[in-house]
Amino acid sequence: MKEIIFATKNKGKIKEIQAILGNDYTVKSIEEIGLNIDILEDGKTFEENAIKKATEIMKITNKTVLADDSGLQIDYLNGEPGVYSARYMGEDTPYEIKNAKILELLKDIEEEKRTARFVSVIALAIPNKEPITTIGTIEGIIGYEMKGENGFGYDPIFYIPYLEKTSAQLSLEEKNKISHRGKALEQMKKILKEMM
Ligand code: ITT
């Protein structure tokens, strides 16, 4: 089977990615190939950061590499935490604390003003080729409490009105069908078929 390296250290992401690409490709995280490097995510956009992650690892390995840069944009907070989602309140701060802080900031805000979306940009880097990106989004609102045990990160506060559930209350398969990352990866799957 064709091998793809996924330039992520996030275990929640890799689970979702393997469920989507795993039947067609052998997907390895950077840890699984024995690399331990930190890439400075200094881009201003998801696209810049995704391309940077994929390209840096492609140059080191000389192999096909995918990367995801993603985040949660909360309209009431002017789009924050956005590209800083992983670093919001500090990279090592537990998500219970980050999520509690966001709930507190939006405490008395009515539903109409709680709109938010997850965005994922997937970048593909192949040696000697220009990088290619795909994008996926999912719209929702910030809930009034944390709910659900699945997923990772901000999933317990991301409420999807038409499902009446947070994304942490969805199974991996349910989330992948509708999520930002699922949508971006499905598009990337088509590109991969042509390129590899
Ligand atoms: P890598 O760079 O190693 O892939 P990371 O966690 O640092 O891992 P990002 O820089 O792309 O990745 O930050 C994405 C953050 O956005 C992630 O850490 C979560 O806080 C949040 N996020 C993205 N997708 C999410 C999802 O599906 N569910 C919950 N939170 C998500």
Side-chain angles (χ1 to χ4, degrees):
M1 219 171 1
K2 286 170 187 157
E3 185 179 302
I4 292 183
I5 297 166
F6 215 107
T8 183
K9 288 186 167 179
N10 181 317
K11 297 204 163 61
K13 281 187 189 177
I14 209 78
K15 250 180 154 179
E16 295 180 7
I17 291 155
Q18 261 159 353
I20 294 174
L21 299 176
N23 286 334
D24 303 310
Y25 303 92
T26 306
V27 186
K28 294 202 165 150
S29 68
I30 44 178
E31 274 172 2
E32 283 172 307
I33 58 162
L35 266 184
N36 185 18
I37 57 161
D38 273 319
I39 298 165
L40 182 65
E41 294 182 31
D42 53 3
K44 286 192 182 65
T45 62
F46 295 116
E47 193 178 18
E48 277 178 57
N49 283 332
I51 290 175
K52 187 173 182 193
K53 287 189 245 188
T55 306
E56 285 199 13
I57 302 298
M58 178 272 283
K59 284 187 179 153
I60 294 169
T61 59
N62 209 32
K63 291 196 168 141
T64 297
V65 179
L66 288 173
D68 161 288
D69 200 65
S70 48
L72 176 63
Q73 295 175 333
I74 301 172
D75 294 326
Y76 184 75
L77 302 179
N78 301 314
E80 286 188 4
V83 287
Y84 302 106
S85 292
R87 285 162 285 169
Y88 183 65
M89 297 178 76
E91 189 118 29
D92 297 328
T93 303
Y95 275 90
E96 260 123 66
I97 295 176
K98 299 192 196 199
N99 285 332
K101 174 73 182 173
I102 292 172
L103 292 179
E104 176 63 25
L105 288 171
L106 270 72
K107 200 167 145 231
D108 296 317
I109 304 304
E110 65 263 45
E111 209 174 304
E112 293 71 43
K113 292 191 180 153
R114 301 177 77 90
T115 49
R117 72 205 52 76
F118 276 124
V119 181
S120 160
V121 172
I122 303 285
L124 168 68
I126 300 180
N128 307 313
K129 292 211 164 94
E130 283 299 307
I132 298 173
T133 59
T134 58
I135 183 165
T137 61
I138 175 172
E139 299 287 332
I141 62 168
I142 301 302
Y144 287 91
E145 56 185 331
M146 293 177 226
K147 270 191 186 161
E149 306 293 329
N150 304 332
F152 65 98
Y154 300 102
D155 281 327
I157 59 167
F158 188 79
Y159 184 80
I160 305 155
Y162 80 95
L163 294 176
E164 298 180 8
K165 282 179 182 171
T166 68
S167 45
Q169 292 177 299
L170 302 177
S171 68
L172 184 69
E173 293 71 27
E174 286 170 326
K175 183 180 169 190
N176 272 344
K177 265 188 210 152
I178 57 162
S179 77
H180 50 316
R181 187 166 301 102
K183 290 174 189 164
L185 270 175
E186 283 303 334
Q187 293 175 59
M188 188 52 86
K189 234 174 150 174
K190 291 182 193 139
I191 295 170
L192 281 171
K193 261 196 190 144
E194 291 164 16
M195 307 280 292
M196 284 181 82

